[in-house]
Structures are given as C-alpha cells and as structure tokens.
Amino acid sequence: GWKPLNSVTDTGFFPVTSLTITPSSVSIAAAATQQLTVTDNNTFDRTAQATYSTSDPTKATVNAAGLVTGVAAGSATITAVYKGVSASKAVTVTA
C-alpha cells in the first residue's frame, strides 16, 4: 500500500509538520541509557532518520540513533530534527 511506501521513501504526500519524542519523561542515572523514539504527525517512526543534539553534553549525550546516555547529575534538553521540524525532550540525570 501507499502508507508503508511513504514511510520508507518519504514521498511527500503527507508533509511532516510535527514530531513527538517518547517516552513522555526521561529520568536516568549517570552511565545509564534510554532509547528515544521519534514519530511524525503521520505516525511514522523517524527515529533513524532524525538528527539529535544535546543542550549540555556534560549532563547527557545522545548518539545518531537517539540513544541518550546519562553523564552526570543534572538536566539537559535533547532535540531531534527531521525535515526541518524539531521536537525537544527534557532529560534528568540522577547521581
């Protein structure tokens, strides 16, 4: 069908206007990890295609696949961007 094809090839029939990052809250210990999942407004999983950044790499890092790693106690904001649309998630790191 056309929906699975769109999710793979991103044909543009359904423009991406928003992203959602799950889980709804992220609290991890230092050295622990949490996988984030990014879905678009069409409910397609964009985790692998999104690019990620962290507001404070001394508190939490994120790799290209959306895996967050706690570094030290504190908080950081992880931002995912796909097709110019972004979403952010607050991450709390406990000692």
Side-chain angles (χ1 to χ4, degrees):
W2 54 269
K3 273 195 170 189
L5 177 62
N6 188 52
S7 69
V8 173
T9 63
D10 200 8
T11 60
F13 289 126
F14 300 95
V16 174
T17 57
S18 66
L19 298 175
T20 302
I21 301 175
T22 52
S24 58
S25 66
V26 180
S27 181
I28 58 175
T33 60
Q34 173 70 55
Q35 178 64 52
L36 300 180
T37 302
V38 178
T39 53
D40 67 18
N41 52 290
N42 300 304
T43 70
F44 294 125
D45 186 338
R46 301 299 185 186
T47 305
Q49 295 96 354
T51 56
Y52 302 91
S53 61
T54 180
S55 65
D56 190 347
T58 66
K59 304 300 179 196
T61 60
V62 61
N63 71 9
L67 183 68
V68 177
T69 302
V71 176
S75 61
T77 301
I78 304 299
T79 301
V81 179
Y82 175 74
K83 295 258 180 195
V85 178
S86 66
S88 296
K89 179 67 62 177
V91 174
T92 301
V93 180
T94 58

